[in-house]
Amino acid sequence: MKIIHCADLHIDSSMETNLSREKAEQRKEELITAFEKMVKFAVINDVQAIVIAGDLFDSEKTIKRDIRKRIFHTIRSNSDIKFFYLRGNHDNADFFSDFSELPVNLKLFRSDRWNSFNIGDVCITGRETNVFSDKIYKELTLDSSRINIVTMHGQLDNSMKITNQSLINKNSLKGKNIDYLALGHIHSFSEGKLDERGNFCYSGCLEGRGFDETGTKGFVLLEIDEKNRKIKPVFIKSSIRIIYKKNIDITNLEFYSEILDKILLEVRDVSETSLIKINLTGQVSEKAEVLVESFEKQLYERFFYVRIYDETETKIDYEKYRNDFSLKGEFVRLVESKNISEKQKSFIIKTGLRALAGKSLNQENLICL
């Protein structure tokens, strides 16, 4: 038997705020496509069930009815696959409430109690809640003779005692006859041992939406050997685009061309379909040609989206300005006299010198000032 574990699709959510309207809409469409692509994988690979461990949608305030209809249709038109949908903290509404009848292959979980569904020798159990009290764990009872998959949505905590009921207490799930704990809420893939019998796993999201969701995304394919009661989880990479964050050290580089060459070298292996955020770091001289907007234009055609930030520190030769009675010298001496960190002084002087030289300021500089 094969079962897919996925989570955190956040369909119809707002995308990276700096994207153009056209590209933001394209990324929103790709979130839906990622779901449809996963279902096609399930059909081709004879998958019997898909467990959605929370946050299928992003918000009741943003989800459009035609989007819900499209997801509804994808589920209903693949009747040979059972869909087990457990609502997460973003799924705070019944998104299918205005449809007259649910597809028979769509199974929903409850918030007032644990409920289970059987497929062959496999039992899939879940409960919708954001408060994980001691009572919740005590009420979870599973048949030890079955292959038990339990699905929950929340952050796993390793505390020996229940101290925070907004977290899933890992130790309270030990010895519960769980073979596989299918989790949602954390947007990166991770797995580990739950107890001697079972494992836990976060499938991560299908598509990264911002620069806090970098790296390859996908879902987990569970290959279940019912005869020997074994579950083999395999992470399937499926993301349409990959989001990258790169810190590029340009210490001691001064000329525009050599800084650009360093950037191009560091991003040479990044796919053109990707979104990438570049932080320029290190110590540079006052004369360094760190022209962020120009660098972005050079890379604009290379990637789906690129954003570059100047996080370098400028090495200031204060002695050079001791007897400089120009406006520039007065400005540097004034900043030097302030009781602030060298990093802050460097930033202020770098920005001020650019302004005095008549050069444009980066948007983030203006915000900070």
Side-chain angles (χ1 to χ4, degrees), residues 63-216:
I63 186 72
K64 302 178 185 66
R65 192 175 193 277
D66 61 327
I67 300 299
R68 286 183 285 125
K69 286 176 64 177
R70 186 167 161 184
I71 300 301
F72 193 88
H73 173 74
T74 299
I75 293 172
R76 184 169 55 189
S77 61
N78 290 279
S79 57
D80 290 339
I81 300 172
K82 289 184 171 62
F83 291 79
F84 299 93
Y85 168 34
L86 178 134
R87 291 184 300 175
N89 57 301
H90 280 259
D91 297 320
N92 54 2
D94 185 351
F95 293 101
F96 297 131
S97 60
D98 55 349
F99 293 101
S100 59
E101 186 177 351
L102 289 179
V104 294
N105 61 323
L106 174 61
K107 309 299 179 183
L108 306 178
F109 294 93
R110 300 172 57 126
S111 60
D112 60 336
R113 63 178 174 83
W114 294 95
N115 60 313
S116 301
F117 304 93
N118 295 322
I119 307 179
D121 291 332
V122 177
C123 179
I124 299 174
T125 301
R127 183 169 183 165
E128 296 177 343
T129 182
N130 295 320
V131 180
F132 304 98
S133 64
D134 185 44
K135 180 183 177 183
I136 295 288
Y137 304 110
K138 287 180 179 178
E139 290 178 348
L140 176 60
T141 57
L142 301 170
D143 184 347
S144 62
S145 67
R146 300 189 68 82
I147 300 171
N148 292 306
I149 296 175
V150 172
T151 182
M152 302 175 76
H153 188 88
Q155 184 171 335
L156 204 61
D157 179 42
N158 290 317
S159 302
M160 292 304 295
K161 294 182 179 180
I162 300 174
T163 57
N164 187 342
Q165 293 187 354
S166 67
L167 304 177
I168 300 171
N169 191 281
K170 177 182 172 183
N171 287 289
S172 296
L173 293 171
K174 291 181 178 179
K176 289 286 188 177
N177 298 316
I178 299 172
D179 294 286
Y180 182 85
L181 180 61
L183 296 167
H185 190 58
I186 303 300
H187 292 191
S188 296
F189 170 77
S190 65
E191 60 180 341
K193 288 291 292 181
L194 177 64
D195 56 20
E196 291 183 0
R197 173 165 174 160
N199 298 318
F200 69 86
C201 182
Y202 283 100
S203 65
C205 53
L206 292 186
E207 286 287 321
R209 294 174 297 149
F211 287 108
D212 57 342
E213 297 177 355
T214 58
T216 302

